[in-house]
Amino acid sequence: MSACKDKEQDPRIEGIASTIRVVPDFPKPGIMFQDITTLLLDPKAFKNTVDLFVERYTGKDITVVAGIEARGFIFGPPIALAIGAKFVPLRKPRKLPGEVISEEYVLEYGTDCLQMHIGAVQPGDRALVVDDLIATGGTLCAAIKLLERAGAEVVECACVIELPELKGRERLNGKPLYILVESG
Ligand code: AMP
């Protein structure tokens, strides 16, 4: 686990990186699982993580923070509250009770689908997409598509961790991606 290169000047990043536990072969052989629950056990690291995102997005006219189930629900809401944006959950199938739009995607381990409530996001909304980690980029790509189908402009995607070897960034069709920590 290492700090993102252009963030090495910020001493908070090293502290955040040091709290993330890497669990080999979870949930299946060959996967190096990046466990952010150990980051959450350290209130200073958790606060610094949220603060770094809030500092970046304050004053950028973001109107919606879209958090990806499940770990985007941990980091997204405190960012949304701090910058005065609404929070919209992007959920796995059959979790949202209202009418939804759906996007299927391929994971590092398996396939899945994200859904968003129709009407949660309006044309003209300026969106920030939040998740804990980008691996192949399929999840963020599906999230971007959902938001753009609803008429939002996706301003940036933000993750705590990037697995750069999987080149997920290249699947974002040029959308900016901000990360704190690189792993692998
Ligand atoms: P991807 O669509 O391949 O970019 O995968 C990103 C999503 O899968 C995120 O929601 C992550 O929480 C989860 N994920 C994928 N790979 C890992 C990993 N090695 N460790 C932890 N979470 C992962």
Side-chain angles (χ1 to χ4, degrees):
M1 191 73 60
S2 66
C4 180
K5 290 175 192 65
D6 63 342
K7 305 292 179 322
E8 270 168 4
Q9 301 311 310
D10 193 311
R12 294 174 290 184
I13 299 280
E14 289 294 344
I16 293 164
S18 71
T19 64
I20 298 165
R21 172 170 59 181
V22 181
V23 183
D25 300 320
F26 182 87
K28 66 180 199 181
I31 302 294
M32 297 291 282
F33 191 84
Q34 314 292 311
D35 181 15
I36 56 87
T37 66
T38 44
L39 184 162
L40 305 176
L41 295 175
D42 183 328
K44 190 173 172 192
F46 188 16
K47 182 175 189 312
N48 284 342
T49 301
V50 172
D51 285 352
L52 281 161
F53 290 129
V54 169
E55 287 163 21
R56 183 172 177 87
Y57 297 114
T58 296
K60 297 266 170 66
D61 294 324
I62 306 282
T63 59
V64 53
V65 174
I68 298 175
E69 184 170 357
R71 291 180 289 271
F73 295 178
I74 296 169
F75 299 104
I79 298 168
L81 287 172
I83 67 174
K86 60 186 171 184
F87 179 77
V88 171
L90 306 183
R91 298 214 61 181
K92 302 290 170 60
R94 296 173 297 281
K95 300 287 189 186
L96 292 170
E99 203 180 340
V100 297
I101 53 174
S102 306
E103 281 288 338
E104 290 192 4
Y105 63 99
V106 178
L107 268 181
E108 190 186 6
Y109 40 87
T111 62
D112 219 327
C113 173
L114 279 183
Q115 297 185 326
M116 180 174 75
H117 267 148
I118 290 173
V121 170
Q122 314 293 334
D125 266 328
R126 285 169 53 79
L128 170 67
V129 183
V130 174
D131 202 359
D132 66 327
L133 178 145
I134 176 168
T136 67
T139 309
L140 284 180
C141 187
I144 292 167
K145 284 183 188 160
L146 281 177
L147 288 155
E148 290 184 340
R149 280 170 61 190
E153 177 192 348
V154 176
V155 176
E156 191 156 273
C157 299
C159 293
V160 180
I161 307 161
E162 178 181 18
L163 306 183
E165 283 177 7
L166 296 175
K167 301 189 192 307
R169 216 173 252 278
E170 293 173 10
R171 289 184 64 184
L172 304 184
N173 298 324
K175 283 289 170 214
L177 170 69
Y178 177 68
I179 60 131
L180 303 182
V181 172
E182 290 180 349
S183 186

